[in-house]
Amino acid sequence: MRKGNTIFFDKNPCIASYAAVCGSKEKEGIIGGYADVTLKDDMYGESTYEKAERKMLSSAVQMAVAKGNFTEGDIDLMASGDLLNQIISASFSARQFRFPFLGVYSACSTMSESMLVAAMAVDSGYSTAAVAATGSHFASAERQYRYPLELGCTRPPQSQWTVTGAGACVISKKGNIKIKNATIGKVCDWGVTDVNNMGAAMAPAACSTLIQHFKDTDTSSEDYDIIITGDLGALGSRILKDLMWEKGYDISENHVDCGEIIYKVIEDEFQGGSGAGCSAVVMNSYIFTKMSAGLYKNVLFAATGALLSTVSSGQGESIPCISHAVELEGI
Amino acid sequence: MRKGNTIFFDKNPCIASYAAVCGSKEKEGIIGGYADVTLKDDMYGESTYEKAERKMLSSAVQMAVAKGNFTEGDIDLMASGDLLNQIISASFSARQFRFPFLGVYSACSTMSESMLVAAMAVDSGYSTAAVAATGSHFASAERQYRYPLELGCTRPPQSQWTVTGAGACVISKKGNIKIKNATIGKVCDWGVTDVNNMGAAMAPAACSTLIQHFKDTDTSSEDYDIIITGDLGALGSRILKDLMWEKGYDISENHVDCGEIIYKVIEDEFQGGSGAGCSAVVMNSYIFTKMSAGLYKNVLFAATGALLSTVSSGQGESIPCISHAVELEGI
């Protein structure tokens, strides 16, 4: 069923299992004790950053499948994408597993988009067990979007740090976390052109999707134990709270941003984490574990993505952003 | 319903309307008389190739919406992607229309993937009118994937020419072309590393999906008036026919490849057209018009995509490919 921009699932698609891999810096923070694999060396035994990123994604998928007592043959859909050009991490992982594969892309909102697509397929009976997954790697993102690491460029204080990590979940009809509905995002662009200030660019997209979700589902912020955004970082998170407040919603008590909470020590990462892997690892380790333990019951997850490229920014464009939301219920 | 890798639509999703824009070279060929807009100048009044590509995509979407007597407010989903890094053509088009947007990517198979996702959403009642769209531009693809045009590099005889064009269709419950089912592709990689020989790389993916489709739907090649692949080109198309023959299927009589038929004069384009826009313009002009006129009834459309990036090729990887198929019926 559809209402507004929200699709309601009535056939009970659930998170059957989940897994996460994170890097050495991420291990020091909140998810260190929850991720299934934490890397000592972010190269993960590979010869390039891109191959390390792909291996993390594949590992997360493989573990999520195994933890749910699925065989690889049980999985009949993989919905995945990532930040690298032509989403090579996802495509090459799909090559490894030979799952029927739908490539998706919404930058750092890819975790919620892939969950949305997988839940749609399971709810409609088009899939019995679908994997949703994404990841990112600090070093591959830096060299693709910014500067070669070897240059040692300084970073401005409004910047964030791309998370090294990957997360995956299997969505099927059985599990103790139900996917109740999902709100499809619209592209928002408030004219921000500073590619180092993704939080400011993405906050309006999160605001738009959260308000749309509240209207479509006839809920408000207090109906959720926790409202989780993807990777707005500390600054973006504050902007979101302000924007929501202006629209009459107070999320100050129960809003958490994955980018803001992922790192323990604020050092080079300034505003916190970002990247498709940011919300992927936080959700697929810390949050789903807490939900499974009954600590959170009603959870709204709205990952946020900045849909720019180096070419669009180079051609003077501002940064279009999107946020897809998924409502979860611990059962 | 699902069988094998094929999802069956029982709620009658249809192509309600369609539109295509093509470039000046494409205008000379088979689609020249069918495309809604044919460009005199491939810059389309824009200052960069990328902006011209985006404008073609937006124009195709706008025309498809208008031709179906929809307003922009009627469209509650846009599933789209393209070849440019971070699918900026699709994302920036979605920004313009403010449609709820799911970014998808499967390279030159994006037309069938976007139709598959849109049909899933319409069939399940998650959407009432969904746009599926993609496009490409010769010049933006050349500079991103190959060499700057200004270098005037020669091209090897096995190469293809990226189509300048875009196509879009609106999928809803009414229309005279029914989407019966769709087969989700698996990633195939037979070890081809020659980035100038996409036809050879992609043919096995088309073969795999066609055979899977025949098995799942209990049909064979003779059940279709026409079996259309995306952009294998002349060489890839011959390879596909051979591969199918070896597996016991004769598609020599009713197989057509969009890349092979799109250009009138074989000149620089050698093996024919390629690019996400190739099958997008051929389907959304020539084929759907013939179907609407009752000239083709049973049509199997299997676009093909090469999931490489310049980075993956530079790191010595072979070319993973995919093909998503959509079965159409003129009613």
Side-chain angles (χ1 to χ4, degrees):
Chain A
M1 197 199 70
R2 169 95 174 214
K3 192 182 158 203
N5 294 338
T6 303
I7 52 185
F8 291 82
F9 304 123
D10 53 10
K11 304 265 172 34
N12 221 34
C14 292
I15 311 276
S17 54
Y18 54 90
V21 180
C22 76
S24 50
K25 188 185 186 85
E26 289 69 22
K27 185 182 169 175
E28 304 300 316
I30 193 169
I31 58 166
Y34 296 88
D36 298 83
V37 170
T38 55
L39 305 184
K40 278 183 194 156
D41 173 1
D42 288 3
M43 292 303 288
Y44 207 178
E46 295 290 322
S47 56
T48 68
Y49 308 138
E50 289 76 16
K51 289 181 181 177
E53 178 176 326
R54 185 185 314 164
K55 190 175 173 185
M56 288 193 299
L57 185 58
S58 295
S59 299
V61 169
Q62 205 159 32
M63 288 186 293
V65 170
K67 284 170 74 180
N69 292 318
F70 296 99
T71 65
E72 288 182 13
D74 295 331
I75 305 299
D76 57 14
L77 178 65
M78 174 174 172
S80 183
D82 58 273
L83 298 180
L84 294 184
N85 297 341
Q86 287 72 55
I87 58 165
I88 49 171
S89 303
S91 299
F92 280 77
S93 290
R95 176 180 76 175
Q96 175 183 333
F97 296 110
R98 306 274 294 134
F99 297 147
F101 173 58
L102 293 176
V104 296
Y105 181 78
S106 51
C108 308
S109 186
T110 300
M111 191 65 226
S112 53
E113 183 182 348
S114 62
M115 287 173 67
L116 183 160
V117 170
M120 263 175 62
V122 169
D123 190 60
S124 319
Y126 303 142
S127 164
T128 52
V131 166
T134 190
S136 54
H137 193 295
F138 172 74
S140 65
E142 281 300 300
R143 82 162 155 199
Q144 179 180 285
Y145 286 104
R146 298 179 190 94
Y147 303 99
L149 290 185
E150 294 80 354
L151 278 181
C153 290
T154 53
R155 305 161 61 83
Q158 71 273 31
S159 68
Q160 293 168 251
W161 188 273
T162 304
V163 164
T164 298
C169 57
V170 180
I171 295 173
S172 76
K173 290 282 172 73
K174 282 183 187 168
N176 57 10
I177 301 170
K178 190 173 154 185
I179 304 178
K180 288 177 73 177
N181 57 58
T183 304
I184 309 173
K186 289 182 174 186
V187 179
C188 288
D189 188 337
W190 280 22
V192 173
T193 53
D194 178 1
V195 295
N196 287 304
N197 196 352
M198 294 296 184
M202 295 191 294
C207 175
S208 156
T209 296
L210 289 179
I211 290 175
Q212 181 76 45
H213 178 88
F214 292 149
K215 285 182 180 161
D216 295 345
T217 57
D218 206 16
T219 59
S220 194
S221 51
E222 56 267 27
D223 293 315
Y224 299 94
D225 297 325
I226 183 167
I227 296 169
I228 308 166
T229 49
D231 56 347
L232 297 174
L235 174 60
S237 182
R238 274 154 194 69
I239 297 172
L240 173 64
K241 286 191 183 90
D242 282 355
L243 292 174
M244 294 297 289
W245 179 262
E246 283 172 11
K247 299 280 183 185
Y249 295 91
D250 181 4
I251 60 165
S252 59
E253 292 300 315
N254 55 350
H255 169 252
V256 157
D257 181 73
C258 297
E260 193 174 8
I261 63 170
I262 194 169
Y263 293 117
K264 192 177 176 186
V265 184
I266 300 295
E267 202 180 67
D268 291 343
E269 60 271 18
F270 295 115
Q271 300 301 327
S274 67
C278 180
S279 61
V281 290
V282 174
M283 293 304 292
N284 288 291
S285 61
Y286 184 79
I287 299 290
F288 290 161
T289 304
K290 295 266 183 192
M291 286 188 77
S292 298
L295 296 171
Y296 299 131
K297 187 172 162 59
N298 296 305
V299 172
L300 181 55
F301 167 46
T304 47
L307 304 172
L308 79 171
S309 79
T310 53
V311 167
S312 70
S313 290
Q315 294 183 358
E317 293 283 357
S318 52
I319 305 171
C321 295
I322 200 161
S323 172
H324 298 294
V326 177
E327 185 180 336
L328 304 162
E329 186 185 353
I331 48 179
Chain B
M1 198 198 67
R2 170 94 174 217
K3 193 182 159 203
N5 295 338
T6 303
I7 51 184
F8 291 82
F9 303 123
D10 54 9
K11 303 264 172 36
N12 220 33
C14 292
I15 311 276
S17 55
Y18 54 90
V21 180
C22 76
S24 50
K25 188 185 187 83
E26 289 69 23
K27 184 181 168 176
E28 304 301 316
I30 193 169
I31 57 167
Y34 295 88
D36 298 84
V37 170
T38 56
L39 305 184
K40 280 184 192 157
D41 173 0
D42 288 2
M43 292 303 289
Y44 207 178
E46 294 291 322
S47 56
T48 69
Y49 308 139
E50 290 75 17
K51 289 182 181 177
E53 177 176 326
R54 185 186 314 164
K55 189 175 174 184
M56 287 193 301
L57 185 58
S58 295
S59 298
V61 170
Q62 204 159 32
M63 287 187 294
V65 170
K67 284 170 74 180
N69 292 319
F70 295 99
T71 64
E72 290 182 13
D74 294 332
I75 305 300
D76 57 14
L77 178 65
M78 174 173 173
S80 182
D82 58 275
L83 298 179
L84 295 184
N85 296 342
Q86 287 73 56
I87 61 165
I88 49 169
S89 303
S91 299
F92 281 77
S93 290
R95 176 181 76 175
Q96 176 183 334
F97 296 111
R98 305 275 295 134
F99 297 147
F101 172 59
L102 292 177
V104 297
Y105 181 78
S106 51
C108 308
S109 188
T110 300
M111 192 66 226
S112 53
E113 183 183 348
S114 63
M115 286 172 67
L116 184 161
V117 170
M120 264 175 63
V122 169
D123 190 61
S124 319
Y126 303 143
S127 164
T128 52
V131 166
T134 189
S136 55
H137 194 295
F138 172 74
S140 65
E142 281 299 302
R143 84 162 154 198
Q144 179 180 284
Y145 286 104
R146 298 179 190 95
Y147 303 99
L149 290 185
E150 294 80 354
L151 278 180
C153 289
T154 53
R155 304 159 63 82
Q158 70 274 31
S159 68
Q160 293 169 252
W161 189 273
T162 304
V163 165
T164 298
C169 57
V170 180
I171 296 173
S172 76
K173 290 282 173 72
K174 283 185 186 166
N176 57 11
I177 301 170
K178 191 173 152 184
I179 304 178
K180 288 177 73 177
N181 56 59
T183 304
I184 308 174
K186 288 183 176 186
V187 179
C188 286
D189 189 337
W190 280 23
V192 174
T193 53
D194 178 0
V195 294
N196 287 305
N197 196 352
M198 293 296 184
M202 295 191 294
C207 175
S208 156
T209 296
L210 290 179
I211 290 175
Q212 182 75 46
H213 179 86
F214 292 150
K215 287 182 179 162
D216 294 346
T217 58
D218 205 16
T219 59
S220 193
S221 52
E222 56 267 29
D223 294 314
Y224 300 93
D225 298 324
I226 183 167
I227 296 170
I228 309 166
T229 48
D231 55 347
L232 297 173
L235 174 61
S237 182
R238 274 154 194 67
I239 297 171
L240 173 65
K241 286 191 183 90
D242 283 355
L243 292 175
M244 294 297 289
W245 180 262
E246 283 172 12
K247 298 281 182 184
Y249 296 91
D250 181 4
I251 59 164
S252 59
E253 293 300 315
N254 55 351
H255 170 251
V256 156
D257 181 74
C258 298
E260 194 174 8
I261 62 169
I262 194 168
Y263 292 117
K264 191 177 176 185
V265 184
I266 300 294
E267 200 179 69
D268 291 344
E269 61 272 15
F270 295 115
Q271 301 300 327
S274 68
C278 180
S279 60
V281 290
V282 174
M283 293 304 292
N284 288 292
S285 62
Y286 183 78
I287 299 290
F288 289 161
T289 303
K290 296 266 183 193
M291 288 189 77
S292 298
L295 296 170
Y296 298 130
K297 186 170 161 61
N298 296 306
V299 172
L300 181 55
F301 167 46
T304 47
L307 304 173
L308 78 170
S309 80
T310 52
V311 168
S312 70
S313 291
Q315 293 183 359
E317 293 284 357
S318 53
I319 306 171
C321 296
I322 200 162
S323 172
H324 298 293
V326 176
E327 185 181 337
L328 304 161
E329 185 185 352
I331 47 178

